[in-house]
Amino acid sequence: MNYSHKIIILSYLILLSIPKTISIDCTCEDETKQSNNTETALKFKLAAIAAVLIAGAIGVSLPLLGRKFEVLRPENDMFFMIKAFAAGVILATGFIHILPDAFRTLTSPCIGRNPWGKFPFSGFIAMMASILTLMVDTVATNFYKNMHFTKTKQVNVDEESGEHDGHVHVHTHATHGHAHGASITPEIVRQRVISQVLELGILVHSVIIGISLGASGNPDTIKPLLVALSFHQFFEGMGLGGCISQAKFKSVTTTIMTLFFSLTTPMGIGIGIGISSFYNENSSNALVIEGIFNSASAGILIYMALVDLLAADFMNPRMQSNVRLQLGAHISILLGAGCMSFLAKWA
């Protein structure tokens, strides 16, 4: 009897261990393969390329049409509310969409033995990316300000003596800064740095999410991603376009930044389609790389949304003196963040 009991107990322990092994294997390999439909998935991927390209191009271009449409001009109250809505979308993209994905990938059982144990590596990378963005933001702003506003020109006294005898005039870039024929102010310099750093953060995420969508063979995964990507690509474009509009770049620079934003995600999808035949999204290397880049882009977008978009606009004297504008901007933030959070449920 004792021997029989030992056999029963041993058998029971073996049976308990089998489901754990099967569940890990199914999560990493079998489940995705069973639900794959290559032909249907390819149709959705091509539709995603077109939809995301159009949404991004329209979104980033609308604020740049402020010269023709008064409602889209930076000095208009509606511009502040549209930009606040876009900032809410970007904020929710970082907190609700990207960061949880980063935690999921970096703690996936498919990685195997977790090299960082219980340490929240995703949060650490996001935090460090935010701090690094702050450093880049500060250094770049100081650099451009020093380049445009600290140099002084001593006007030739002989040229001025005929009109203002006995007076010496000093012409500084701080008061009359000029570049490419357009007047440059500290605010314009600040907006140029913001738009460039914001675009960098968006592009990092766009490449990763584009490759993920393009490499996926599951139509049920692609459908919600298509909707969510089109939505946040449009409003991320609105936020970026607003910054570019306020930065008053030359037309060539504006065109390049607009094209980069519009084409990055479709290019990522195209790369994903190209590598889908051999790319394993559940391999340890793919999960680690995706998790690291998602964590970094989440940190960048969260910083940019809070500091350079929302804080900058809400501390603006114009908004501080207008209670109705403040109320409208607050509602716009909540609507933007709420809509993106709602879509993240299926994305």
Side-chain angles (χ1 to χ4, degrees):
M1 293 291 292
N2 292 335
Y3 182 71
S4 300
H5 288 161
K6 290 179 180 179
I7 292 175
I8 293 171
I9 293 171
L10 181 61
S11 301
Y12 180 69
L13 291 173
I14 292 172
L15 288 172
L16 283 177
S17 66
I18 289 174
K20 294 180 181 178
T21 305
I22 292 175
S23 64
I24 293 175
D25 291 339
C26 289
T27 302
C28 299
E29 300 291 342
D30 299 341
E31 188 176 315
T32 55
K33 287 182 179 179
Q34 289 173 0
S35 56
N36 284 357
N37 187 330
T38 306
E39 292 183 3
T40 305
L42 182 59
K43 293 178 182 178
F44 281 111
K45 291 175 189 178
L46 296 177
I49 290 176
V52 171
L53 177 62
I54 293 171
I58 293 175
V60 74
S61 299
L62 279 178
L64 302 177
L65 299 176
R67 294 178 181 178
K68 296 183 178 180
F69 301 98
E70 185 177 352
V71 71
L72 298 174
R73 292 179 182 174
E75 61 270 15
N76 195 291
D77 288 350
M78 184 58 67
F79 181 86
F80 279 91
M81 287 190 280
I82 294 173
K83 196 175 173 186
F85 185 92
V89 171
I90 295 172
L91 190 63
T93 300
F95 271 120
I96 306 299
H97 184 67
I98 309 177
L99 198 56
D101 278 352
F103 275 102
R104 177 182 55 80
T105 52
L106 290 182
T107 56
S108 171
C110 303
I111 294 178
R113 186 174 178 273
N114 196 326
W116 38 81
K118 294 183 179 180
F119 185 75
F121 206 65
S122 299
F124 176 76
I125 295 175
M127 177 185 70
M128 294 306 297
S130 297
I131 295 173
L132 182 61
T133 306
L134 170 64
M135 294 177 180
V136 172
D137 206 3
T138 304
V139 171
T141 301
N142 288 335
F143 173 78
Y144 280 113
K145 282 184 177 179
N146 290 336
M147 184 173 67
H148 288 291
F149 303 113
T150 59
K151 295 180 180 179
T152 59
K153 288 183 180 179
Q154 185 74 35
V155 178
N156 193 322
V157 178
D158 295 334
E159 294 179 358
E160 300 290 336
S161 59
E163 298 178 7
H164 304 284
D165 191 25
H167 294 278
V168 177
H169 294 267
V170 178
H171 180 76
T172 65
H173 286 274
T175 55
H176 301 283
H178 296 275
H180 309 295
S183 178
I184 290 183
T185 65
E187 178 61 25
I188 290 177
V189 169
R190 180 71 187 131
Q191 288 297 330
R192 290 186 176 184
V193 175
I194 289 173
S195 58
Q196 290 169 345
V197 177
L198 177 60
E199 179 156 18
L200 176 63
I202 292 173
L203 293 186
V204 171
H205 168 59
S206 297
V207 172
I208 295 297
I209 196 66
I211 292 175
S212 298
L213 188 150
S216 176
N218 185 353
D220 294 332
T221 302
I222 298 172
K223 290 177 186 177
L225 268 179
L226 192 160
V227 177
L229 269 178
S230 300
F231 179 83
H232 85 64
Q233 192 79 355
F234 177 81
F235 285 104
E236 280 182 354
M238 290 282 286
L240 178 62
C243 293
I244 294 174
S245 175
Q246 291 176 294
K248 301 185 185 301
F249 284 110
K250 290 178 65 179
S251 57
V252 174
T253 305
T254 299
T255 303
I256 292 173
M257 293 183 71
T258 302
L259 287 175
F260 261 101
F261 171 79
S262 303
L263 295 175
T264 302
T265 303
M267 287 175 61
I269 297 173
I271 294 171
I273 294 173
I275 65 175
S276 60
S277 59
F278 59 87
Y279 176 78
N280 180 9
E281 61 184 355
N282 290 313
S283 68
S284 58
N285 289 336
L287 288 170
V288 170
I289 293 172
E290 181 182 348
I292 290 174
F293 276 99
N294 274 341
S295 300
S297 60
I300 295 172
L301 291 181
I302 290 169
Y303 170 87
M304 295 301 297
L306 289 173
V307 178
D308 287 337
L309 295 180
L310 294 176
D313 283 349
F314 275 82
M315 294 299 108
N316 189 307
R318 179 178 175 181
M319 186 174 289
Q320 290 285 309
S321 60
N322 192 332
V323 178
R324 289 184 61 186
L325 182 57
Q326 288 183 45
L327 180 61
H330 279 105
I331 294 173
S332 295
I333 295 171
L334 294 175
L335 286 175
C339 290
M340 192 62 222
S341 301
F342 182 75
L343 284 175
K345 179 179 179 181
W346 290 277

